[in-house]
Amino acid sequence: ALQSQLLSNDGQNPLMKKVFDIHLAFLKNGQSEAALKHVFASLRAFISKFPAAFFKGRVTMCAALCYEILKCCTSKISSTRNEASALLYLLMRNNFEFTKRKTFLRTHLQIIIAVSQLIADVALSGGTRFQDSLLIINNFANSDRPMKATAFPSEVKDLTKRIRTVLMATAQMKEHEKDPEMLVDLQYSLAKSYASTPELRKTWLDSMAKIHVKNGDFSEAAMCYVHVAALVAEFLHRKSKWVLFGRHKGEDAGVV
Protein backbone atom coordinates (compact mmCIF):
# COMPACT_ATOMS: atom_id res chain seq x y z
CA ALA A 1 0.00 0.00 0.00
CA LEU A 2 2.85 2.36 0.86
CA GLN A 3 4.59 1.63 -2.46
CA SER A 4 1.42 2.36 -4.43
CA GLN A 5 1.05 5.67 -2.55
CA LEU A 6 4.64 6.59 -3.39
CA LEU A 7 4.07 5.70 -7.06
CA SER A 8 0.82 7.65 -7.42
CA ASN A 9 0.93 10.33 -10.12
CA ASP A 10 4.31 8.96 -11.28
CA GLY A 11 5.88 9.83 -7.94
CA GLN A 12 4.73 13.45 -8.04
CA ASN A 13 3.03 13.42 -4.63
CA PRO A 14 3.67 14.85 -1.11
CA LEU A 15 4.64 11.46 0.41
CA MET A 16 7.30 10.80 -2.23
CA LYS A 17 8.63 14.34 -1.75
CA LYS A 18 9.04 13.76 1.99
CA VAL A 19 10.81 10.42 1.52
CA PHE A 20 13.09 11.87 -1.16
CA ASP A 21 13.87 14.98 0.91
CA ILE A 22 15.03 12.75 3.77
CA HIS A 23 17.42 10.92 1.42
CA LEU A 24 18.64 14.23 0.01
CA ALA A 25 19.19 15.71 3.49
CA PHE A 26 21.91 13.11 4.12
CA LEU A 27 23.82 14.43 1.08
CA LYS A 28 23.25 18.09 1.93
CA ASN A 29 24.47 17.74 5.52
CA GLY A 30 27.94 16.48 6.40
CA GLN A 31 28.16 12.75 7.09
CA SER A 32 30.98 10.38 7.97
CA GLU A 33 32.63 8.43 5.14
CA ALA A 34 31.06 5.18 6.42
CA ALA A 35 27.57 6.72 6.68
CA LEU A 36 27.79 8.15 3.17
CA LYS A 37 28.43 4.69 1.71
CA HIS A 38 25.05 3.59 3.12
CA VAL A 39 23.40 6.79 1.86
CA PHE A 40 24.68 6.18 -1.69
CA ALA A 41 23.55 2.53 -1.54
CA SER A 42 20.09 3.64 -0.40
CA LEU A 43 19.88 6.22 -3.21
CA ARG A 44 20.90 3.62 -5.81
CA ALA A 45 18.06 1.37 -4.63
CA PHE A 46 15.68 4.35 -4.54
CA ILE A 47 16.42 5.33 -8.17
CA SER A 48 16.08 1.73 -9.36
CA LYS A 49 12.78 1.23 -7.54
CA PHE A 50 11.11 4.52 -8.48
CA PRO A 51 12.48 5.53 -11.93
CA ALA A 52 9.26 7.28 -13.01
CA ALA A 53 9.65 9.79 -10.16
CA PHE A 54 12.95 10.91 -11.67
CA PHE A 55 12.41 10.46 -15.40
CA LYS A 56 8.72 11.24 -15.98
CA GLY A 57 6.68 14.34 -15.29
CA ARG A 58 8.30 17.25 -13.47
CA VAL A 59 12.09 17.41 -13.22
CA THR A 60 12.26 18.61 -9.61
CA MET A 61 13.64 15.40 -8.08
CA CYS A 62 16.10 14.70 -10.89
CA ALA A 63 17.41 18.28 -10.79
CA ALA A 64 17.86 18.34 -7.00
CA LEU A 65 19.65 14.99 -6.98
CA CYS A 66 22.03 15.97 -9.82
CA TYR A 67 22.98 19.15 -7.96
CA GLU A 68 23.85 17.34 -4.72
CA ILE A 69 25.66 14.44 -6.41
CA LEU A 70 27.84 16.84 -8.41
CA LYS A 71 28.84 18.60 -5.18
CA CYS A 72 29.95 15.21 -3.83
CA CYS A 73 31.99 14.66 -7.03
CA THR A 74 34.39 17.38 -5.80
CA SER A 75 34.84 15.84 -2.33
CA LYS A 76 38.36 15.59 -0.88
CA ILE A 77 37.55 12.00 0.10
CA SER A 78 38.24 9.66 -2.84
CA SER A 79 35.70 7.03 -1.74
CA THR A 80 32.95 9.68 -1.68
CA ARG A 81 33.93 10.88 -5.16
CA ASN A 82 33.87 7.28 -6.43
CA GLU A 83 30.45 6.64 -4.88
CA ALA A 84 29.06 9.92 -6.26
CA SER A 85 30.42 9.17 -9.74
CA ALA A 86 28.85 5.69 -9.65
CA LEU A 87 25.50 7.12 -8.52
CA LEU A 88 25.52 9.75 -11.27
CA TYR A 89 26.35 7.07 -13.83
CA LEU A 90 23.49 4.90 -12.51
CA LEU A 91 21.11 7.85 -12.83
CA MET A 92 22.11 8.34 -16.49
CA ARG A 93 21.94 4.61 -17.24
CA ASN A 94 18.53 4.17 -15.62
CA ASN A 95 17.23 7.19 -17.55
CA PHE A 96 18.50 5.58 -20.78
CA GLU A 97 16.78 2.28 -19.91
CA PHE A 98 13.58 4.12 -18.91
CA THR A 99 13.32 5.62 -22.43
CA LYS A 100 13.80 2.10 -23.90
CA ARG A 101 17.42 2.89 -24.77
CA LYS A 102 16.65 6.00 -26.80
CA THR A 103 18.25 8.79 -24.78
CA PHE A 104 19.02 10.11 -21.30
CA LEU A 105 18.26 13.70 -22.30
CA ARG A 106 16.60 14.62 -19.01
CA THR A 107 19.58 13.67 -16.84
CA HIS A 108 22.02 15.09 -19.41
CA LEU A 109 20.28 18.45 -19.32
CA GLN A 110 19.89 18.56 -15.53
CA ILE A 111 23.58 17.73 -15.01
CA ILE A 112 24.69 20.60 -17.28
CA ILE A 113 22.25 22.97 -15.56
CA ALA A 114 23.52 21.82 -12.15
CA VAL A 115 27.14 22.44 -13.21
CA SER A 116 26.18 25.96 -14.35
CA GLN A 117 24.34 26.61 -11.06
CA LEU A 118 27.24 25.27 -8.96
CA ILE A 119 29.62 27.61 -10.78
CA ALA A 120 27.26 30.54 -10.19
CA ASP A 121 26.92 29.55 -6.49
CA VAL A 122 30.73 29.25 -6.22
CA ALA A 123 30.12 25.71 -4.97
CA LEU A 124 32.10 23.88 -7.67
CA SER A 125 35.53 23.83 -6.07
CA GLY A 126 38.23 21.20 -6.48
CA GLY A 127 38.50 21.37 -10.29
CA THR A 128 41.03 18.52 -10.57
CA ARG A 129 38.95 16.27 -8.34
CA PHE A 130 35.87 17.00 -10.44
CA GLN A 131 37.80 16.13 -13.62
CA ASP A 132 38.75 12.80 -11.97
CA SER A 133 35.06 12.11 -11.34
CA LEU A 134 34.25 12.79 -15.00
CA LEU A 135 36.96 10.31 -15.98
CA ILE A 136 35.47 7.67 -13.66
CA ILE A 137 32.04 8.16 -15.30
CA ASN A 138 33.56 7.80 -18.78
CA ASN A 139 35.35 4.62 -17.70
CA PHE A 140 32.07 3.19 -16.41
CA ALA A 141 30.45 3.86 -19.79
CA ASN A 142 33.34 2.33 -21.76
CA SER A 143 33.45 -0.84 -19.66
CA ASP A 144 29.67 -1.39 -19.44
CA ARG A 145 29.29 -4.39 -21.79
CA PRO A 146 25.46 -4.40 -22.07
CA MET A 147 25.64 -0.77 -23.27
CA LYS A 148 28.42 -1.21 -25.86
CA ALA A 149 26.05 -1.86 -28.77
CA THR A 150 23.99 1.25 -27.95
CA ALA A 151 24.52 5.00 -28.32
CA PHE A 152 24.88 5.33 -24.56
CA PRO A 153 28.73 5.41 -24.27
CA SER A 154 29.04 8.11 -26.94
CA GLU A 155 26.27 10.16 -25.29
CA VAL A 156 28.10 9.94 -21.95
CA LYS A 157 31.30 11.07 -23.67
CA ASP A 158 29.41 13.98 -25.25
CA LEU A 159 28.04 14.99 -21.84
CA THR A 160 31.46 15.00 -20.14
CA LYS A 161 32.85 16.96 -23.11
CA ARG A 162 30.12 19.59 -22.72
CA ILE A 163 30.83 19.86 -18.98
CA ARG A 164 34.54 20.42 -19.70
CA THR A 165 33.58 23.14 -22.22
CA VAL A 166 31.58 24.94 -19.52
CA LEU A 167 34.47 24.59 -17.05
CA MET A 168 37.00 25.92 -19.57
CA ALA A 169 34.76 28.86 -20.44
CA THR A 170 34.35 29.58 -16.73
CA ALA A 171 38.12 29.54 -16.22
CA GLN A 172 38.47 32.06 -19.07
CA MET A 173 35.78 34.22 -17.47
CA LYS A 174 37.72 34.18 -14.22
CA GLU A 175 40.81 35.44 -16.05
CA HIS A 176 38.84 38.32 -17.59
CA GLU A 177 36.59 39.19 -14.64
CA LYS A 178 38.07 42.72 -14.57
CA ASP A 179 37.43 43.19 -18.30
CA PRO A 180 33.61 43.57 -18.56
CA GLU A 181 33.47 43.57 -22.37
CA MET A 182 35.57 40.41 -22.73
CA LEU A 183 33.62 38.74 -19.93
CA VAL A 184 30.29 39.45 -21.63
CA ASP A 185 31.67 38.21 -24.97
CA LEU A 186 32.59 34.89 -23.33
CA GLN A 187 29.15 34.69 -21.69
CA TYR A 188 27.49 35.38 -25.05
CA SER A 189 29.57 32.66 -26.80
CA LEU A 190 28.55 30.15 -24.15
CA ALA A 191 24.87 31.13 -24.37
CA LYS A 192 25.03 30.87 -28.18
CA SER A 193 26.58 27.39 -28.00
CA TYR A 194 23.40 26.24 -26.22
CA ALA A 195 20.99 27.68 -28.78
CA SER A 196 19.30 24.27 -29.05
CA THR A 197 18.92 23.99 -25.25
CA PRO A 198 16.61 26.80 -24.06
CA GLU A 199 17.07 26.10 -20.33
CA LEU A 200 20.86 26.47 -20.54
CA ARG A 201 20.69 29.44 -22.89
CA LYS A 202 18.45 31.14 -20.33
CA THR A 203 20.92 30.34 -17.52
CA TRP A 204 23.78 32.12 -19.28
CA LEU A 205 21.63 35.01 -20.53
CA ASP A 206 20.57 35.61 -16.90
CA SER A 207 24.23 35.62 -15.92
CA MET A 208 25.04 38.13 -18.70
CA ALA A 209 22.22 40.38 -17.51
CA LYS A 210 23.63 40.42 -13.96
CA ILE A 211 27.05 41.51 -15.27
CA HIS A 212 25.44 44.31 -17.30
CA VAL A 213 23.44 45.50 -14.28
CA LYS A 214 26.58 45.42 -12.13
CA ASN A 215 28.37 47.60 -14.70
CA GLY A 216 25.42 49.99 -15.04
CA ASP A 217 24.66 48.87 -18.61
CA PHE A 218 20.92 48.69 -18.11
CA SER A 219 19.84 48.74 -21.76
CA GLU A 220 22.11 45.73 -22.48
CA ALA A 221 20.68 43.95 -19.44
CA ALA A 222 17.17 44.67 -20.72
CA MET A 223 18.06 43.09 -24.07
CA CYS A 224 19.20 39.93 -22.27
CA TYR A 225 15.88 39.76 -20.43
CA VAL A 226 13.98 40.32 -23.70
CA HIS A 227 15.82 37.30 -25.14
CA VAL A 228 14.93 35.28 -22.04
CA ALA A 229 11.26 36.30 -22.37
CA ALA A 230 11.32 35.22 -26.04
CA LEU A 231 12.79 31.83 -25.09
CA VAL A 232 10.10 31.27 -22.44
CA ALA A 233 7.34 32.35 -24.87
CA GLU A 234 8.67 29.99 -27.55
CA PHE A 235 8.84 27.11 -25.06
CA LEU A 236 5.27 27.70 -23.86
CA HIS A 237 4.07 27.89 -27.47
CA ARG A 238 5.72 24.53 -28.27
CA LYS A 239 4.36 23.00 -25.09
CA SER A 240 0.80 24.03 -25.97
CA LYS A 241 1.23 22.37 -29.37
CA TRP A 242 2.40 19.11 -27.74
CA VAL A 243 -0.69 19.11 -25.51
CA LEU A 244 -2.94 19.77 -28.52
CA PHE A 245 -1.43 16.79 -30.33
CA GLY A 246 -2.19 14.50 -27.39
CA ARG A 247 1.12 14.58 -25.51
CA HIS A 248 1.04 14.74 -21.72
CA LYS A 249 2.48 17.73 -19.92
CA GLY A 250 6.07 17.12 -18.90
CA GLU A 251 6.40 13.98 -21.04
CA ASP A 252 9.41 15.32 -22.88
CA ALA A 253 12.68 14.55 -21.08
CA GLY A 254 13.89 18.11 -21.28
CA VAL A 255 10.81 19.86 -19.90
CA VAL A 256 11.49 21.89 -16.79
Side-chain angles (χ1 to χ4, degrees):
L2 179 62
Q3 186 172 350
S4 61
Q5 285 180 45
L6 286 166
L7 286 170
S8 69
N9 196 28
D10 293 322
Q12 309 298 310
N13 60 77
L15 181 61
M16 174 62 85
K17 185 181 183 304
K18 286 180 181 177
V19 173
F20 175 68
D21 285 348
I22 290 168
H23 279 79
L24 209 61
F26 284 106
L27 286 185
K28 287 182 176 181
N29 303 306
Q31 307 294 329
S32 69
E33 187 177 352
L36 272 175
K37 285 186 178 181
H38 293 292
V39 172
F40 283 119
S42 181
L43 280 165
R44 286 196 297 270
F46 194 76
I47 292 165
S48 298
K49 196 159 189 173
F50 303 107
F54 293 93
F55 311 128
K56 194 175 181 181
R58 301 175 77 178
V59 301
T60 315
M61 286 176 60
C62 185
L65 186 58
C66 286
Y67 186 89
E68 296 303 329
I69 297 173
L70 283 166
K71 280 172 70 177
C72 292
C73 284
T74 68
S75 171
K76 293 179 181 178
I77 303 168
S78 60
S79 64
T80 299
R81 290 199 306 274
N82 291 340
E83 291 277 6
S85 300
L87 182 60
L88 198 61
Y89 179 76
L90 178 75
L91 191 68
M92 291 187 285
R93 195 183 193 279
N94 279 25
N95 191 175
F96 190 70
E97 293 286 8
F98 188 79
T99 63
K100 297 179 181 177
R101 298 193 168 188
K102 291 177 183 175
T103 182
F104 64 96
L105 177 62
R106 166 167 289 195
T107 307
H108 179 133
L109 185 58
Q110 295 310 314
I111 288 171
I112 295 288
I113 289 172
V115 169
S116 303
Q117 288 173 339
L118 284 164
I119 290 167
D121 297 343
V122 198
L124 194 62
S125 55
T128 305
R129 295 192 295 270
F130 187 60
Q131 294 284 3
D132 290 343
S133 295
L134 294 179
L135 184 61
I136 291 168
I137 291 166
N138 263 328
N139 289 339
F140 275 133
N142 292 331
S143 60
D144 194 342
R145 286 189 176 183
M147 293 287 109
K148 284 205 171 183
T150 71
F152 185 69
S154 62
E155 286 192 29
V156 172
K157 187 177 180 181
D158 177 61
L159 171 59
T160 54
K161 185 179 177 182
R162 282 175 179 266
I163 292 171
R164 288 192 180 99
T165 300
V166 172
L167 293 175
M168 284 172 63
T170 305
Q172 286 182 304
M173 288 175 201
K174 191 74 177 172
E175 288 176 22
H176 296 94
E177 61 184 351
K178 292 182 180 178
D179 183 350
E181 289 184 6
M182 186 64 180
L183 185 59
V184 169
D185 279 344
L186 288 167
Q187 291 269 16
Y188 176 73
S189 296
L190 200 55
K192 195 175 179 181
S193 70
Y194 286 107
S196 61
T197 314
E199 293 89 342
L200 286 170
R201 188 167 170 81
K202 178 186 177 297
T203 299
W204 291 106
L205 284 168
D206 281 335
S207 184
M208 280 175 63
K210 287 175 185 175
I211 293 169
H212 283 310
V213 169
K214 186 179 177 181
N215 295 326
D217 300 325
F218 300 112
S219 59
E220 286 84 353
M223 285 301 296
C224 289
Y225 288 128
V226 167
H227 277 291
V228 168
L231 282 172
V232 172
E234 186 182 355
F235 171 78
L236 291 173
H237 179 65
R238 290 205 317 268
K239 189 176 180 181
S240 66
K241 281 190 175 181
W242 290 336
V243 173
L244 283 172
F245 282 103
R247 298 190 64 154
H248 298 292
K249 289 182 180 179
E251 184 180 330
D252 185 80
V255 173
V256 173

